[in-house]
Amino acid sequence: MVVCELKRAGFSLPQVKQVASNLAEHGIRLDQSEEYLLTDGYSVYYASNENEVVDVLKHRRQMLLLVPLHEQVAKLREVA
């Protein structure tokens, strides 16, 4: 199903295979928990929690930082 979704999003079969290979290299199994694959149409990202995302297509070790906006807004409201 994941392969079909990535193909539907416009990724080639070699790109999908690279995603699968990189996920396996990191020991990531998509059937084990509530993890996410995200795409912007150019790359595929893996998120295991709300604070960390890994680009598993282009730069498989590159980490991206997620800033939960709702937490920032809550902090501002506390000090206002």
Side-chain angles (χ1 to χ4, degrees), residues 61-73:
R61 298 195 191 281
Q62 177 180 349
M63 301 299 289
L64 303 172
L65 173 66
L66 295 179
V67 178
L69 296 177
H70 65 279
E71 290 178 10
Q72 302 303 318
V73 170

Side-chain angles (χ1 to χ4, degrees), residues 34-36 38 45-55 62-72 75:
E34 296 180 9
E35 295 146 343
Y36 298 92
L38 304 95
Y45 307 92
Y46 165 77
S48 60
N49 60 57
E50 63 183 34
N51 298 315
E52 182 179 280
V53 176
V54 178
D55 184 336
Q62 177 180 349
M63 301 299 289
L64 303 172
L65 173 66
L66 295 179
V67 178
L69 296 177
H70 65 279
E71 290 178 10
Q72 302 303 318
K75 288 178 186 177

Side-chain angles (χ1 to χ4, degrees), residues 16-80:
V16 173
K17 287 181 180 180
Q18 185 65 49
V19 167
S21 174
N22 292 343
L23 289 171
E25 180 180 315
H26 289 285
I28 298 168
R29 293 186 48 184
L30 299 178
D31 63 343
Q32 291 182 327
S33 63
E34 296 180 9
E35 295 146 343
Y36 298 92
L37 285 182
L38 304 95
T39 182
D40 58 4
Y42 299 102
S43 194
V44 178
Y45 307 92
Y46 165 77
S48 60
N49 60 57
E50 63 183 34
N51 298 315
E52 182 179 280
V53 176
V54 178
D55 184 336
V56 291
L57 180 60
K58 295 180 182 174
H59 309 286
R60 58 183 180 225
R61 298 195 191 281
Q62 177 180 349
M63 301 299 289
L64 303 172
L65 173 66
L66 295 179
V67 178
L69 296 177
H70 65 279
E71 290 178 10
Q72 302 303 318
V73 170
K75 288 178 186 177
L76 286 172
R77 287 185 177 148
E78 286 177 12
V79 298

